[in-house]
Amino acid sequence: MKKQKLSLIFITCLGLIGIFIVAFNGWSQKERAITREEQLKLPQSWSVEDASSQPLFTSVEPSPDGKYTLVAQKYPPQDEKQKPLLVITLMENKSHKIIWKTPLDKNFHSPQWSSDGNYISFLSFNEKNIPSLQITPFKTFEPQIALEKEGLAAYLWSPGSHQIALISRDIKRIESLTIEEGMVFLNTEDEIEKTNLLILSDPLDKKNISKHVPLKDSTIPEVFSKPEMILTWSRDGDSLVFVSEGKKEGLFSVDLKSLRIEQIHQGGHPSYPVFSPDGKYLAYVADVAKEADHFPIKRRALFIYDLETKKTTKQLETPLGNPILLGWFADSQALLVEEGYKTLRRLYKVPLHGESVEVLNKENDQLISKVSLNSSSTQIGFVLESLTEEPAASISSIESFDPRPLFNQFLITLPLQAEVIKWPSFDGKIIEGILVYPLDYKKGARYPLITALHEGPYGAWEQKFLGGCANNIYPFSPAVFASKGYAILLPNIRGSSNYGIDFAKAIDKDIGGGDFKDLIAGIDFVIEKGVADPEKLVIWGWKYGGYLATHAIVQTNRFKAAIVGLGMIDLISFSETAKDNGFLKSYLGSTFWENKDLWLIRSPIMHVEEIQTPTLLLYGKQSNLFPIGQGKELYYALKKRGVPVKMLLFTNEGDEVDLSTQSIKAGLEHTLAWLEQFLSPDPNKRYSSDVTHKRKNTK
């Protein structure tokens, strides 16, 4: 009996000890989890690996009833053999519960809700790279192919969900031979031969009917963002309105019963057509002035077309003349509009009948982007971020802007200081920019300053998350450089967007003039603030910014290092070899043979004897807009003159494609190594690159 009692006591003690151990381990694991979460929320620095692996939100689409949201994310490819990984998640808004995710071994993109909210559709590619339209019931991920067709580019559901309009393109492949450094290359390039508009009736029926709408001489432009930019359905589903470019530029409607096509608006680069909920009006965006002005940036406005009288009856202005039309309010009495505003983006409610424009997100100091309005005109989805807070997929009612984040990937808040600053330029014009302070910044100490110039020139630095690499299109992450002890200036010099048309036109016939003086004034301002070390200045630029960075090192030897990405070096050869060869004529106001002096003065290669700054060149071998020959001209000229120069060539990437994780890492690491080589006084502290990037061509 005593033995039994002792055994029972022993077993009980063991049980209590076991419970204590389990509880302790659980508590310990919980503490470790909390600690890890806190580390993610507030990292101590930001590495090349962190920046190169950042996912991007590509769309946030609320359901028609506002209860669910489709969130699409894109992850950069690991190397040149892979494509970006696209993941689409269906979430319940109230609980933030994930209903389903697309599988990682399939790439779905361009998600849409059917107008009734019962189905979700995507585009996908098979093993032969042929696109297909696939549809699934929204609560269960069971996609079925509705149409598979080569050249399928975009699609849009009709209001009743009984039809889908599709845009497809007949592609002609052009082959050519080039000889480069003793080697012969076979080049292939796809050219759009014909654009087709197809109507898919009863898309859920396996015997669905595809109707071809002949467009004659009209050409629907390529879809760079969403199909709503170029295509819209009438409320009764009997007609479509589409944008045409080329010889028959304008806005056209097509009656789907008679196939009769009528022109609504001639010229003016129209976009974002959308019918009012009551079916009485068509709203769209177009250029205000139609006169022959060589400058490419025009003031744009909202136009209202009366469907009964078949006349454009109203022209509505926005504060800065560059609206993106998102849709109508449900009562058909106002338009929902997005527009860049300085370093942020604003949402406007634009009434039809003369009332003042209302700023919906005026009290919010975070950046919104990728805004989508649901089909019932009640809710918007968007990406919300700030300079130090990672992007989050978010939703809000359009009647009262109150952002509700759904989820973000890492819950990261960067431990960096950054602010918007302003300074007067040479002519009194006030220039704005973003100043990022180095990690562990101490007031009174001076730091190396990187001045980074954005692409464009009609673009702008906005208050995007500093840890990313601008949608993975160039290898520059301010947080990486701030973590290494650099201050960063992101100036929105004249010519930038988000400050009005007059500000954009301030570089008309003057590229490399006033814009260069603006950036120099900004650098001097940061030096006067006591932040920048005047002996450790760096200039970085991409595309147009790459041109201006090269122009800057021609004008002054103040910079200790320069990084030029896809820059225009020889304006004359660029104008005759680049794909978009009308760009320089539109900004300089003439061809080079009509105004030789201006072209030669503003062409960096003509003044290469002035350059003393060590220069790192970054180019994509597949770039058509910014040919690698531009970089090679500068590389060989500086090499012959004995100026330190290196060229990093991404052989499988161009100018508008997604840089892979490997390429972003290579670009960042080589840039850091270049800066350390020419800015660090102590050789022992120099950054050493261990990149073995097979796509580089470092010379």
Side-chain angles (χ1 to χ4, degrees):
M1 190 71 177
K2 287 183 179 180
K3 288 183 178 180
Q4 289 178 344
K5 286 184 178 180
L6 288 173
S7 298
L8 184 61
I9 292 170
F10 180 72
I11 292 170
T12 302
C13 290
L14 284 177
L16 290 172
I17 292 170
I19 291 171
F20 174 77
I21 291 172
V22 170
F24 178 81
N25 284 339
W27 175 84
S28 178
Q29 289 173 4
K30 183 178 180 182
E31 285 300 300
R32 284 198 296 271
I34 291 173
T35 302
R36 175 59 179 156
E37 184 178 329
E38 291 302 317
Q39 288 175 346
L40 287 173
K41 285 183 178 179
L42 192 62
Q44 297 306 304
S45 63
W46 197 248
S47 69
V48 168
E49 288 73 19
D50 293 326
S52 60
S53 59
Q54 278 289 289
L56 306 171
F57 289 105
T58 59
S59 66
V60 183
E61 308 281 345
S63 62
D65 62 8
K67 294 181 179 179
Y68 300 88
T69 299
L70 276 172
V71 179
Q73 287 178 286
K74 180 168 65 176
Y75 293 79
Q78 294 301 307
D79 56 48
E80 78 280 3
K81 294 180 181 179
Q82 298 179 351
K83 292 183 178 180
L85 177 62
L86 299 165
V87 178
I88 299 170
T89 304
L90 176 64
M91 298 191 68
E92 187 178 42
N93 293 343
K94 188 175 182 179
S95 66
H96 294 189
K97 177 184 176 182
I98 294 177
I99 308 301
W100 50 254
K101 277 188 176 185
T102 53
L104 298 180
D105 61 340
K106 300 284 186 181
N107 255 355
F108 295 95
H109 65 96
S110 305
Q112 280 186 36
W113 289 93
S114 62
S115 301
D116 58 14
N118 292 328
Y119 297 93
I120 293 169
S121 51
F122 324 87
L123 292 180
S124 184
F125 291 87
N126 63 16
E127 297 79 7
K128 296 181 180 179
N129 209 32
I130 297 175
S132 65
L133 173 66
Q134 301 192 25
I135 302 174
T136 181
F138 91 94
K139 281 194 174 180
T140 57
F141 186 73
E142 298 172 351
Q144 300 293 322
I145 295 177
L147 181 69
E148 190 171 70
K149 180 178 174 58
E150 286 196 55
L152 190 60
Y155 70 98
L156 191 66
W157 285 85
S158 68
S161 301
H162 299 301
Q163 302 178 93
I164 296 178
L166 304 107
I167 298 170
S168 69
R169 307 186 188 282
D170 296 338
I171 305 297
K172 180 172 65 175
R173 176 150 290 190
I174 300 173
E175 295 185 348
S176 61
L177 292 175
T178 59
I179 300 176
E180 185 178 315
E181 297 180 356
M183 295 179 287
V184 179
F185 292 90
L186 174 64
N187 304 308
T188 60
E189 183 178 354
D190 290 341
E191 184 178 275
I192 297 173
E193 192 173 38
K194 183 181 178 183
T195 303
N196 305 295
L197 180 59
L198 305 176
I199 307 300
L200 196 65
S201 300
D202 298 319
L204 301 173
D205 188 345
K206 292 184 179 180
K207 297 181 180 179
N208 54 51
I209 301 171
S210 179
K211 181 191 297 184
H212 177 259
V213 180
L215 299 182
K216 297 183 180 179
D217 297 328
S218 300
T219 302
I220 296 178
E222 291 187 65
V223 182
F224 292 108
S225 54
K226 302 177 69 175
E228 291 90 338
M229 184 177 180
I230 59 171
L231 191 67
T232 189
W233 282 92
S234 64
R235 291 297 167 175
D236 58 13
D238 289 340
S239 63
L240 280 163
V241 168
F242 64 91
V243 173
S244 177
E245 64 179 6
K247 294 180 180 179
K248 293 190 70 174
E249 179 186 87
L251 197 63
F252 294 83
S253 68
V254 53
D255 185 291
L256 296 180
K257 294 179 180 178
S258 65
L259 299 185
R260 182 181 176 184
I261 296 177
E262 294 182 350
Q263 188 169 52
I264 293 173
H265 189 97
Q266 183 178 3
H269 301 93
S271 60
Y272 301 105
V274 58
F275 285 90
S276 60
D278 61 12
K280 294 181 179 180
Y281 305 104
L282 173 74
Y284 58 95
V285 178
D287 295 345
V288 172
K290 293 184 180 180
E291 65 269 13
D293 180 3
H294 71 272
F295 196 75
I297 308 303
K298 306 287 195 298
R299 183 178 300 278
R300 293 171 68 76
L302 302 159
F303 292 84
I304 307 298
Y305 180 82
D306 190 308
L307 296 172
E308 184 178 353
T309 63
K310 294 189 176 182
K311 291 182 179 180
T312 299
T313 58
K314 293 181 184 292
Q315 178 179 311
L316 307 174
E317 304 286 343
T318 55
L320 295 179
N322 190 27
I324 295 174
L325 178 56
L326 301 172
W328 291 78
F329 280 74
D331 61 3
S332 298
Q333 296 301 303
L335 299 171
L336 180 65
V337 174
E338 176 191 351
E339 187 170 65
Y341 180 78
K342 299 183 178 180
T343 59
L344 294 171
R345 303 195 68 79
R346 281 187 165 177
L347 284 177
Y348 296 129
K349 182 177 183 179
V350 182
L352 286 191
H353 304 297
E355 299 93 334
S356 299
V357 173
E358 179 184 352
V359 182
L360 300 179
N361 62 332
K362 188 175 182 179
E363 303 303 320
N364 189 282
D365 59 357
Q366 293 173 296
L367 179 70
I368 60 169
S369 61
K370 305 287 192 304
V371 186
S372 294
L373 176 65
N374 67 353
S375 60
S376 60
S377 297
T378 57
Q379 194 174 79
I380 53 173
F382 51 94
V383 178
L384 192 70
E385 62 189 303
S386 72
L387 292 169
T388 57
E389 296 170 316
E390 194 194 25
S394 306
I395 55 173
S396 172
S397 163
I398 67 169
E399 294 296 339
S400 176
F401 185 74
D402 182 22
R404 288 180 288 150
L406 294 173
F407 78 100
N408 59 5
Q409 194 67 19
F410 300 115
L411 303 174
I412 289 171
T413 299
L414 294 173
L416 294 175
Q417 299 179 51
E419 63 175 332
V420 176
I421 61 172
K422 298 178 181 180
W423 62 90
S425 192
F426 68 100
D427 57 357
K429 191 180 293 292
I430 300 301
I431 308 300
E432 193 171 68
I434 298 169
L435 178 61
V436 184
Y437 292 86
L439 187 67
D440 300 326
Y441 167 74
K442 293 180 176 59
K443 192 172 182 178
R446 290 187 178 271
Y447 298 86
L449 176 69
I450 302 173
T451 300
L453 307 175
H454 62 69
E455 59 182 314
Y458 195 63
W461 291 114
E462 296 178 333
Q463 294 188 47
K464 295 182 72 66
F465 180 60
L466 295 171
C469 285
N471 297 335
N472 295 337
I473 59 175
Y474 50 73
F476 184 79
S477 171
V480 169
F481 295 99
S483 294
K484 295 293 182 181
Y486 294 92
I488 301 99
L489 175 63
L490 308 173
N492 285 334
I493 52 183
R494 67 189 66 202
S496 299
S497 61
N498 294 12
Y499 294 86
I501 300 303
D502 291 340
F503 190 83
K505 283 191 170 185
I507 60 168
D508 186 13
K509 301 179 184 177
D510 191 39
I511 60 170
D515 46 4
F516 165 72
K517 295 176 183 178
D518 291 345
L519 73 90
I520 292 297
I523 292 169
D524 290 338
F525 181 76
V526 178
I527 292 172
E528 291 170 9
K529 280 175 67 73
V531 176
D533 184 341
E535 299 302 318
K536 293 186 178 182
L537 301 179
V538 177
I539 193 158
W540 180 100
W542 196 259
K543 295 186 180 178
Y544 181 78
Y547 157 74
L548 199 54
T550 312
H551 181 74
I553 60 176
V554 164
Q555 302 297 316
T556 177
N557 292 325
R558 293 177 66 181
F559 299 104
K560 293 297 183 286
I563 297 88
V564 175
L566 300 179
M568 301 178 294
I569 307 301
D570 182 338
L571 299 190
I572 293 176
S573 67
F574 177 87
S575 70
E576 298 306 305
T577 59
K579 185 175 181 179
D580 186 14
N581 55 18
F583 166 78
L584 282 173
K585 179 184 176 182
S586 63
Y587 270 92
L588 291 172
S590 65
T591 60
F592 69 85
W593 58 85
E594 292 170 329
N595 192 345
K596 296 184 181 69
D597 291 343
L598 178 60
W599 280 71
L600 294 176
I601 288 171
R602 299 298 163 86
S603 186
I605 198 66
M606 301 307 298
H607 314 282
V608 72
E609 74 279 1
E610 303 291 340
I611 298 178
Q612 304 295 329
T613 305
T615 303
L616 174 65
L617 301 167
L618 307 175
Y619 281 81
K621 188 175 177 64
Q622 304 302 320
S623 174
N624 292 316
L625 295 177
F626 295 86
I628 60 171
Q630 294 292 301
K632 287 184 176 181
E633 285 190 45
L634 184 59
Y635 172 80
Y636 287 118
L638 294 181
K639 197 76 172 175
K640 289 175 182 177
R641 293 191 54 250
V643 177
V645 62
K646 181 184 286 188
M647 189 168 182
L648 184 65
L649 186 62
F650 302 107
T651 59
N652 286 284
E653 292 159 323
D655 36 54
E656 293 293 350
V657 299
D658 299 283
L659 287 173
S660 68
T661 295
Q662 190 178 6
S663 295
I664 294 172
K665 288 177 65 176
L668 288 171
E669 289 179 326
H670 278 275
T671 299
L672 284 167
W674 193 253
L675 299 186
E676 290 290 337
Q677 181 177 350
F678 294 102
L679 269 73
S680 176
D682 183 355
N684 296 321
K685 292 183 179 180
R686 290 181 181 174
Y687 182 93
S688 62
S689 173
D690 57 356
V691 179
T692 56
H693 189 238
K694 70 178 182 180
R695 286 181 294 168
K696 71 179 182 180
N697 183 12
T698 306
K699 301 180 180 180

